[in-house]
Amino acid sequence: MKIKTKLTLGVGLLFALILLLGIVSATYINTLKSDTENILIANYNSLQYSQNILSLIEDPTPKNRAKMEQNIVNQENNITEIGEQEATRELRHDFNQFKNNTSDSLIVKSIRASVAKIMDMNMQAIERKSELAKTTANEAVFWIAVAATICFLIAFTLLINLPSNIANPIKELTQSIQQIADKNYSQRVHFEGSSEFGQLARSFNTMALKLEEYNSSNLAKMMIEKKRTETLINNMHDPIIGLDEALNIIFINEEALKIAGLNNTFVIGQSAQALAVNNDLIRLLIRDIARLENLKEDKTKPIKIFADNKESYFEKDTLHIHITPTGETKQKLVGHVIVLRNVTAYKELDLAKTNFIATVSHEFKTPIASIIMSLQLLENKQIGALNDEQKHLVESIKDDTDRLLKITGELLNMTQVESGNIQISKFPTDPKEMLDYAIQATKTQAEQKQIKFEVSCPENLPKVQTDSEKTAWVLTNLISNAIRYSYDHSVIYLSITQSAKNIIISVKDTGQGIAPQYQGKIFDRYFRVPNTKKEGTGLGLAISKEFIEAQGGQISVKSELGTGSTFSVILEAVV
Ligand code: ADP
């Protein structure tokens, strides 16, 4: 049965019963009322008139006789019982005689007898009628009690059954919805019958079934996707490691396991930081991530790893994965992916190139030295005087040979830098001495362009802890650049200053300057500002940076296009 029908029937029945109870009660009360009224009007009044007649007859004054007359008239109009008519008629007859002879005791006696008869009749009637009223009252009590009991029974049944009939399915349904919310899609509800709850249960079960199907199909899809991604990562030749935000390993491919000497089943879910305690490679890889203050991409030098009985070089790329959670606007770090790119082949090629350049430059040195020596011999008057044209030719060969020597020197230095073999031997050195050496080395070059040096150097400067040979080479290179990129007849300002525990050697020119977009690149190997007319290799500043930084110093540039450039070398002072 439907809930609505149940409720309508229950409440309707109750309503009908209450109505019935009301009607029964009202009917009986009405009957009782009419019974009492009947006694009052029909019999009580007759008794009253009879009583009046009996008391008035004792003193038959004309006034009392009139009153008696009135009471007899009233009695005549209030005949209700069988036999009362005759008794009243007798009373009338006797009274008529009494009016003419008030002293006749026989008549008085007869009147009294008639009145007594009337009174007796009415008394009996009152008794009979009150008996009837009593029966009616008992009947009323019975039927009202019956109706009230039925009412109570129905109301009690409804009270016990109806709330649980409605509340129990709702409770079961709420629990089932909760189960579905907790992703237990196998949950079903079982309400029998054709009530609204039965229909609700069928709809709920259909929904749960569809959700179950959807979930299992999604799960299957996700599993396939997961497998696909895992296979993809595993088949990649580059080692890849995935970490969550707490640095636990969430995936790692075969290549990464191989080079790290780890076992898959053991590693997944492990903390990379815990693994790093005993694994050098993992420690090296997570070093910058674990140091959380530096989450920027870090382009480090290739990592040398010995695995599979051979040395390999890898370039590390760390990706920090951020997502914006649903409903939020702020990005959240959810993990890191470390990709190692195998650059062994390039590294080997690079090494071969470096070795080749080193060998060639080294081999070039001897013939160049012999050319320089021959030129010096040619300039010697004892060998024979040269005419002007020959002198000019010799000068030009000398210039080219100097340039060749410079390039060879730079290439040799570069091979040292590239192979990581910079040998630094630091000693306390007077910075002024190094600057003087550089000035001396570039003097001829400056004179050719009629460029003057202005040196500013305070007295009693502390010495610097440096490799004097390499720093002097750097200063020579900086001054040489300043001369090359300055206009004729200009001035180059050379200064040495002290700042805290450092000595700063600056080379300032008033030449063409360097555009801002190139200032960050001029220290890169083989970089030359586009459209630079002067010859060069683009190696001088790169080597200078390596030489200075290898000693723990710094080299920097400040430049404005069209105004000039200032190169500064900062070295540690000996205190
Ligand atoms: P290069 O052999 O080309 O001079 P460097 O490494 O010494 O190589 O310099 C790199 C580039 O920086 C140069 O090609 C030049 O364009 C620019 N440069 C270096 N020094 C100066 C300077 N003092 N003024 C203007 N440009 C300069």
Side-chain angles (χ1 to χ4, degrees), residues 164-210:
S164 55
N165 245 337
I166 297 169
N168 288 354
I170 290 177
K171 195 174 159 195
E172 198 179 324
L173 198 69
T174 313
Q175 281 167 356
S176 302
I177 291 171
Q178 190 61 52
Q179 289 287 321
I180 295 281
D182 291 344
K183 295 189 178 148
N184 178 11
Y185 300 118
S186 60
Q187 181 69 27
R188 299 286 181 276
V189 284
H190 306 283
F191 305 142
E192 302 304 333
S194 60
S195 71
E196 286 90 337
F197 285 121
Q199 288 169 12
L200 192 67
R202 280 190 288 283
S203 305
F204 178 89
N205 291 344
T206 315
M207 179 198 77
L209 185 72
K210 285 192 175 164

Side-chain angles (χ1 to χ4, degrees), residues 64 131 151 386 390 506 536:
N64 282 352
E131 204 55 44
C151 253
L386 300 173
Q390 284 167 333
S506 302

Side-chain angles (χ1 to χ4, degrees), residues 274-385:
L275 281 175
V277 175
N278 296 317
N279 192 304
D280 293 346
L281 182 66
I282 300 286
R283 188 166 52 245
L284 193 73
L285 295 181
I286 65 159
R287 202 169 48 186
D288 58 337
I289 307 173
R291 232 192 294 126
L292 283 167
E293 73 274 12
N294 177 23
L295 275 180
K296 280 184 279 149
E297 292 303 312
D298 189 13
K299 289 249 181 288
T300 44
K301 285 183 181 164
I303 303 166
K304 192 156 104 184
I305 296 165
F306 192 81
D308 264 1
N309 292 327
K310 64 175 191 306
E311 254 181 12
S312 301
Y313 290 89
F314 291 92
E315 240 172 42
K316 189 181 90 168
D317 212 352
T318 309
L319 308 168
H320 305 290
I321 315 296
H322 292 89
I323 58 156
T324 313
T326 320
E328 288 182 26
T329 49
K330 232 172 143 190
Q331 282 213 330
K332 194 178 153 202
L333 178 78
V334 288
H336 317 269
V337 176
I338 301 168
V339 183
L340 292 174
R341 226 166 291 117
N342 194 335
V343 291
T344 315
Y346 304 107
K347 189 75 191 168
E348 280 167 0
L349 266 178
D350 196 44
L351 205 68
K353 177 211 77 185
T354 309
N355 286 342
F356 173 74
I357 294 174
T359 316
V360 169
S361 348
H362 187 77
E363 291 303 319
F364 272 10
K365 268 192 149 180
T366 327
I368 292 169
S370 121
I371 292 171
I372 290 171
M373 223 164 72
S374 304
L375 283 172
Q376 280 168 353
L377 285 174
L378 270 178
E379 277 175 340
N380 193 334
K381 295 235 168 73
Q382 285 175 349
I383 290 192

Side-chain angles (χ1 to χ4, degrees), residues 368-369 371-379 386 390-406 444 448:
I368 292 169
I371 292 171
I372 290 171
M373 223 164 72
S374 304
L375 283 172
Q376 280 168 353
L377 285 174
L378 270 178
E379 277 175 340
L386 300 173
Q390 284 167 333
K391 264 188 197 164
H392 187 70
L393 277 172
V394 167
E395 278 299 317
S396 142
I397 294 171
K398 211 177 158 209
D399 277 356
D400 286 340
T401 318
D402 281 345
R403 224 170 25 241
L404 206 57
L405 193 66
K406 183 177 178 271
T444 333
Q448 277 171 4

Side-chain angles (χ1 to χ4, degrees), residues 406 410 477-478 481-482 484-485 509 512-514 522 524 527-529 532 534-542 559 565 567:
K406 183 177 178 271
E410 280 182 357
N477 185 62
L478 291 180
N481 274 354
R484 279 161 68 214
Y485 299 109
D509 64 60
Q512 62 203 53
I514 306 160
I522 54 168
D524 291 351
F527 178 82
R528 308 195 70 224
V529 171
T532 302
K534 306 275 184 256
E535 312 85 352
T537 55
L539 283 175
L541 288 178
S559 184
S565 318
F567 285 84

